[in-house]
């Protein structure tokens, strides 16, 4: 899951300086507000936790972040397929298994984003 904050000045997307699995957890860890300096216009503003939005990783980012997992899936399924069914089957099985694991990971990631975006802190954390 990637957390971004849109700059109040130039609307460019910045990586959120505060991170946790849900907005509630971010509030518990960092409080209800945080300061962020924009990467594009260098303006510093105060933002609320609800300004943070979860977005999907691009396919490239996803592979980069999980390259070890995909490599393990690839090697293990290739070895098994190769031993049991031969070289061609091993290749086909390992490619299919890797594609499936990528698709599952992407789906899982989108689910987390939905949960994050759904739970706003405004109104419920007031003391
Ligand atoms: Zn900006």
């Amino acid at each position: 899951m990637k957390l971004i904050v849109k700059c109040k000045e130039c609307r460019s997307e910045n990586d959120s300086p505060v991170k946790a699995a849900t907005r509630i957890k971010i509030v518990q860890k960092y409080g209800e507000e945080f300061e962020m300096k924009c990467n594009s216009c260098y303006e510093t503003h105060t933002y609320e936790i609800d300004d943070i939005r979860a977005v999907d990783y691009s396919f490239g980012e996803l592979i980069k972040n999980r390259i070890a997992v995909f490599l393990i899936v690839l090697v293990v399924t290739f070895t098994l397929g190769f031993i049991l069914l031969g070289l061609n089957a091993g290749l086909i099985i390992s490619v299919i298994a890797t594609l499936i694991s990528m698709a599952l990971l992407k789906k899982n990631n989108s689910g987390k984003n939905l949960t994050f975006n759904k739970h706003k802190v405004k109104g419920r954390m007031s003391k």
Side-chain angles (χ1 to χ4, degrees), residues 23 113-120 124:
R23 287 195 173 107
N113 292 347
L114 273 181
T115 311
F116 185 93
N117 289 330
K118 213 166 60 188
H119 296 109
K120 297 225 169 196
R124 79 151 94 181

Side-chain angles (χ1 to χ4, degrees), residues 97-113:
T98 306
L99 288 177
I100 290 173
S101 64
M102 282 177 187
L104 285 178
L105 208 71
K106 188 118 176 65
K107 205 173 149 224
N108 180 271
N109 193 51
S110 301
K112 277 188 196 151
N113 292 347

Side-chain angles (χ1 to χ4, degrees), residues 7-9 34-39 41-47:
C7 173
K8 285 179 180 172
E9 209 70 37
F34 62 96
E35 284 204 339
M36 186 188 74
K37 189 178 181 183
C38 175
N39 288 327
C41 65
Y42 304 108
E43 292 279 345
T44 302
H45 284 283
T46 303
Y47 294 87

Side-chain angles (χ1 to χ4, degrees), residues 63-118:
I63 290 173
K64 213 172 76 191
N65 287 336
R66 292 284 185 274
I67 188 76
V69 177
F70 296 137
L71 280 178
I72 291 167
V73 171
L74 197 70
V75 170
V76 169
T77 50
F78 174 76
T79 310
L80 280 178
F82 179 67
I83 291 169
L84 296 174
L85 302 161
L87 182 62
N88 286 339
L91 279 176
I92 294 168
I93 290 169
S94 59
V95 168
I96 291 173
T98 306
L99 288 177
I100 290 173
S101 64
M102 282 177 187
L104 285 178
L105 208 71
K106 188 118 176 65
K107 205 173 149 224
N108 180 271
N109 193 51
S110 301
K112 277 188 196 151
N113 292 347
L114 273 181
T115 311
F116 185 93
N117 289 330
K118 213 166 60 188

